[in-house]
Amino acid sequence: MAIRSFFPAQAQAQQRYWVIFKDKPAARLGPLVSAAALERRRLQNLPLAQSSDQPVHPAYLDSLTQKGFTVTAVSKWLNAAVVTANPAQVKSLEQSSFVRELKPITGYFKPTQTFTPYKPLYVSKALTQLKPEAILAAGLTGRGVKVGVIDAGFFEAPKKAGLQPIFENGRLKAFRDFVNPALSQTYTKRETYMDSHGTDVLLCLAGSDPGARVLSGFASEADFYLARTDQGNRESRVEEEYFVRALEWMDSLGVRLVNSSLGYGTGFDKPEENYRPEQMDGSSYIARAVQIAVEQKGMMLVIAAGNDGNNKKWLVVNTPADAAGVLTVGASDFSTWSKQGYSSIGPTFLPYLKPDVVCFAASGTSFSAPVIAGLAACLLEANPNLTPQQLTNIIQKSSHLYPFGNNFVGYGVPNAGKALELAQGLASLDPVNAVVLVTGGKFTFKTDAVKGIQENGGIVLYRKASQTRVMSQQKLSSHLKKVVVNRLPGETHTTVQVGPKVMELVWQ
C-alpha cells in the first residue's frame, strides 16, 4: 500500500522505459566473459577488459525494486534496466541520483518477411547468384565458426532434412528461448504460425541435405547458437529487450557472427507507439546495442533490411538494420539484379549507405540475409583474423556495382569467389567499373562487346538524384544491342549495368 500511495496516479497511461544508469561503481575483478570471447578479442586486437562487460550495479536495481518497479530486462552493455512507469513515476525516476536518463520504448518488433511460403528452390537460386564455385572448391563450410541466429522460432528444425546434420553431429551448441524460457531446447511445440520462421532462416544459412545433394546455405558445418526473441501472435516491445539480452548472451559464449531477420518498424496494434521513418537513423537502443557488438565486442552482425519497399508510408529499412557497422542485406531479383519491389530502401539522411548488399529472395529479406551470413561464415573460416569492419568491406567490394552503391541495392550482389580472394589477400580490387562524364542530356552505349550479360544481372539503370539516392530503377531487355539513356529532370548520376560491365554516368 505504501508503494501505491507513493505513486497515486496509477490510472495514468503507463509505458515501458529504458532506465539508463549513470555509472557502474561496483566493478568486479577477473574475467567476465568466456575464454572464447577473449580469444575473439585478441584476434581483432580489441581491449580484453571492457566496461560494458561489467554487470549493472546491483544497488541500482535494488533501488528500482524498492520504489515499486518490476525490472523486466537488464542490459550490461547499455548499463540499463527496463521498467514500466506512468508520468508521475517517470518524474520521480528522473530525479533519482543514480539515473542518467530515461528513454521511452516505442515501436514494435516484427520479422522482416512477407507471407509467401518458403521454398528451398529459391534459396538454391540465391547461392547460384553469388557464384559459389570457389567456396565449394575450397571446401569451406563455416567449420569452427560460432554463428548465432536471433529469430522467431525454430519449430521442427531437427526434422528438416537440410538441418538434420547440424543436430546429429552436435553442431547445435546452445538454444535459449527468451520469450518462454520453459521451451528452451524444445522444437516440438508451436505457439504461433511464425515459429517456423527461424527454421527457414537456418535452412538459408546452413541447409545441407547430403542424401538429396541439395545445398541451401553456405555454412553447413558452423557451430550454432539459437535464440528465440519474437512471439508471432503478440507483438509487444518487450521483444527489443529480449534481442539485446540474446546478443549479450551470445557474446559471453564467444559467438563470432550473428544473423537476424527481425526488425522494428510500424504497422502494429498501437499506432501511437510505432517508430517513424525519420527515426531510422541508427539511434535506437537496439541499434546502439548492435553497434556495441560490432565495435567493442568484435561480432559480425548481418541484418535483414525489411520488406517495406512498397509501403508508401514507410519505404525505409527497419532498426537495427539502420545501425552503423552492421551488414544490412536487401533482396534482389534473380535474373535481373535490380531491387525486389518489397525490399526496403536506405534512408537518404543517413551518413552511410544502407542496404550494404543484396541477393535473391522471392519471399522476403529474411531469406536473403542468412545467405550472406553463410558466406561471411565461410570467409571467417578462411581467415579467422578478419574484423567485422574488414569482413563487411570485403563483401561490399566483391559486389557487382562497387564502388557505385545506392540506397536501393547497396553495392549490389556479392561475388563469393571474389570475396574469398579478397579475404585471403590473394587479390586486390581492380577498378573494373568506370566513371563516365556526360555532357548534354543523352548517353548511348553499344552492348555487342560485352559478354555474359544474361548470367551477370542483365541490363539495369539506376537513375539518381545524387551519388546514392535512386529516383527510379529500370530493367531493360538483355538482348538490346544499344542502351540509350536520356537524362531525367533532377538526375545527376546514372548507374548503367550491362551484365558484368558497370558505368557511373556523371551528368555535366
Side-chain angles (χ1 to χ4, degrees), residues 16-17 61 64-73 81-85:
R16 301 178 70 78
Y17 289 85
L61 299 176
L64 292 177
T65 302
Q66 291 167 9
K67 288 179 178 292
F69 293 103
T70 298
V71 175
T72 58
V82 174
V83 301
T84 300

Side-chain angles (χ1 to χ4, degrees), residues 24 35 45 126 163 187 192 208 234 250 253 331 363 368 372 446:
K24 292 182 176 180
N45 295 314
L163 299 178
Y187 304 93
T192 79
S208 176
R234 185 164 53 85
M250 289 178 177
L253 297 174
S363 57
S368 54
I372 302 301
K446 293 182 178 181

Side-chain angles (χ1 to χ4, degrees), residues 33-249:
V33 295
S34 68
L38 293 174
E39 179 60 22
R40 186 186 64 225
R41 294 178 188 178
R42 287 190 189 96
L43 285 171
Q44 301 182 45
N45 295 314
L46 293 169
L48 299 184
Q50 299 180 5
S51 63
S52 54
D53 293 335
Q54 299 286 344
V56 170
H57 187 34
Y60 293 165
L61 299 176
D62 292 342
S63 294
L64 292 177
T65 302
Q66 291 167 9
K67 288 179 178 292
F69 293 103
T70 298
V71 175
T72 58
V74 176
S75 170
K76 60 182 180 180
W77 288 3
L78 301 176
N79 194 24
V82 174
V83 301
T84 300
N86 61 38
Q89 293 170 315
V90 168
K91 185 175 181 180
S92 173
L93 277 177
E94 288 176 335
Q95 296 172 351
S96 299
S97 60
F98 58 89
V99 174
R100 180 165 63 85
E101 62 178 326
L102 269 71
K103 287 290 185 180
I105 300 175
T106 59
Y108 281 87
F109 202 53
K110 62 177 180 178
T112 56
Q113 67 141 25
T114 61
F115 297 102
T116 305
Y118 164 80
K119 297 181 179 180
L121 173 62
Y122 295 147
V123 184
S124 298
K125 289 174 72 174
L127 295 185
T128 300
Q129 185 187 44
L130 269 59
K131 304 188 184 307
E133 293 80 11
I135 296 288
L136 301 180
L140 295 171
T141 56
R143 190 180 298 106
V145 179
K146 293 187 174 185
V147 180
V149 181
I150 301 176
D151 215 283
F154 302 89
F155 179 65
E156 293 190 335
K159 294 183 179 181
K160 297 291 184 179
L163 299 178
Q164 285 174 357
I166 292 175
F167 294 87
E168 293 172 354
N169 298 328
R171 291 197 291 275
L172 191 283
K173 300 300 183 182
F175 173 27
R176 181 172 291 187
D177 190 329
F178 289 86
V179 178
N180 187 347
L183 292 181
S184 285
Q185 302 296 343
T186 299
Y187 304 93
T188 57
K189 183 175 180 181
R190 181 178 221 154
E191 290 188 300
T192 79
Y193 75 99
M194 288 301 302
D195 281 357
S196 296
H197 187 267
T199 302
D200 294 339
V201 166
L202 197 55
L203 280 165
C204 298
L205 200 161
S208 176
D209 182 356
R213 302 185 69 180
V214 171
L215 184 70
S216 59
F218 280 115
S220 59
E221 294 189 314
D223 295 328
F224 289 95
Y225 300 75
L226 309 181
R228 178 176 179 245
T229 65
D230 177 88
Q231 186 169 10
N233 65 348
R234 185 164 53 85
E235 299 298 346
S236 70
R237 189 60 183 277
V238 69
E239 292 160 357
E240 176 181 354
E241 303 153 32
Y242 296 156
F243 190 105
V244 175
R245 287 171 55 196
L247 264 185
E248 295 183 358
W249 170 65

Side-chain angles (χ1 to χ4, degrees), residues 21 35 80 139 151 210 259 271 342 369 398 408 458 481:
F21 301 118
D151 215 283
N259 177 91
Y342 64 77
S398 76
F408 268 39
K481 300 299 182 182

